Amino acid sequence: MRYIVVISILTVLLFMANLFFGSVNIPVKDVWHILTGGEAERAGWAYIVLQSRLPGAITALLCGSSLAVSGLMLQTAFGNPLAGPSILGISSGANLGVAIVMLVSGGVITTGGVTFTGFMSVVMGAFIGSMLIMALILMLSTFIQSNLMLLITGVMIGYITSSAISLLNFFATEEGVHSFVIWGLGNFGGVTMGQMPMFAGSALVGLSISLMLIKPLNALLMGNQYAESLGINIRRTRNLLLIATGLLVAVTTAFCGPIAFLGLATPHVARMILRSENHNTLMPLTIVCGAAAALLCNLICILPGNKGIIPLNAVTPMLGAPVIIYVIMKGRRTS
């Protein structure tokens, strides 16, 4: 529990740092006045803090938590430390869904007489794409017994979706390709305060379902037969895991772009801190670690100051890849 408290305090400090620092230099006292309902020296500063930095910090917090808990659930369900939204092709499925929406349908989805446009159409495309790939992976897991083979299958699915995206880019308009490329760089600053209720609500629903799965996930650590002997409904657990992971990956990918390594590396950081696989403490710690990691990445992105903002996916691999290399080397030493 003390680790969760410490990381939570660190998360709060990083959240505040995201509010006080940015590409525009605003005095700390003015930021504080704005956050407490006062007035700043310049009127434009209030807009930057309340309409840019605040939603960006909230988005980073929720996105990091969502991807981290998705990675944890997938690693537990597949019994593979390298399982994650990106490695298993789930993020690629969301990318393909968004690519179809942006490059083919012109940002419009019509289904059942209902038309979705703008961000809602992107969310729908990402959700459908990630859910289809996740369902395919879970279906294949009933036939493929080897975790390594299942992992390779997920990677191959990712290659297939990437190939389809490349073809869509080739035949798309210049404007469509530009929009898709910018979206693909990753960014926590794309969610406005007006869109925040939908984004935050969807993420919190997914996180709530994940917390409901703590007991079944602990049972799955001992194998499916052991879980069934405890009265765990494996099919219902997998369906809930599918819904939670698909929702979390779809929402974060739609609003923030495909974020690399957060979902894969963060659960391992939490395991190294706790040295335990007990999801009663591992899942809450993974959630706060994911939030802290995303807030740290967002803070690093604005380091150039007025020279611009570093793309998010240029930062996350620098922090996540060393963790995965360590996990692989550690597994090789113990094997």
Side-chain angles (χ1 to χ4, degrees), residues 31-228:
V31 175
W32 181 254
H33 288 158
I34 293 169
L35 293 174
T36 54
E39 294 185 0
E41 184 179 330
R42 298 182 185 177
W45 286 349
Y47 180 85
I48 293 173
V49 172
L50 297 178
Q51 301 299 322
S52 179
R53 292 185 184 179
L54 180 59
I58 297 174
T59 300
L61 187 147
L62 291 174
C63 182
S65 299
S66 299
L67 291 176
V69 80
S70 296
L72 175 63
M73 290 192 295
L74 290 172
Q75 289 164 13
T76 301
F78 290 106
N80 194 313
L82 295 181
S86 57
I87 296 297
L88 285 175
I90 302 171
S91 294
S92 298
N95 295 350
L96 179 59
V98 173
I100 293 173
V101 171
M102 285 188 172
L103 304 178
V104 178
S105 66
V108 178
I109 294 180
T110 302
T111 176
V114 180
T115 300
F116 298 97
T117 59
F119 254 84
M120 195 61 198
S121 65
V122 175
V123 171
M124 289 294 296
F127 182 75
I128 293 171
S130 63
M131 287 289 284
L132 289 175
I133 296 299
M134 185 63 184
L136 178 61
I137 290 293
L138 287 177
M139 182 188 70
L140 291 174
S141 68
T142 61
F143 301 102
I144 303 175
Q145 300 300 320
S146 170
N147 287 331
L148 178 60
M149 291 299 103
L150 186 62
L151 180 65
I152 293 174
T153 302
V155 172
M156 293 302 105
I157 292 174
Y159 278 125
I160 293 172
T161 56
S162 296
S163 177
I165 291 171
S166 297
L167 289 173
L168 292 176
N169 274 302
F170 180 80
F171 291 106
T173 63
E174 182 178 348
E175 182 181 352
V177 172
H178 180 265
S179 298
F180 184 73
V181 169
I182 295 299
W183 171 83
L185 293 175
N187 178 26
F188 289 138
V191 183
T192 66
M193 289 303 290
Q195 297 162 344
M196 186 58 66
M198 181 174 63
F199 172 78
S202 301
L204 291 174
V205 168
L207 289 172
S208 298
I209 298 174
S210 303
L211 292 172
M212 292 167 52
L213 293 172
I214 287 178
K215 182 179 177 180
L217 288 171
N218 274 335
L220 285 175
L221 290 173
M222 305 301 293
N224 288 349
Q225 291 183 348
Y226 179 81
E228 288 178 343

Side-chain angles (χ1 to χ4, degrees), residues 261 265 272 315-329:
F261 281 100
M272 285 187 282
V315 175
T316 53
M318 291 190 295
L319 299 180
V323 175
I324 301 306
I325 293 173
Y326 172 79
V327 170
I328 293 173
M329 297 303 296

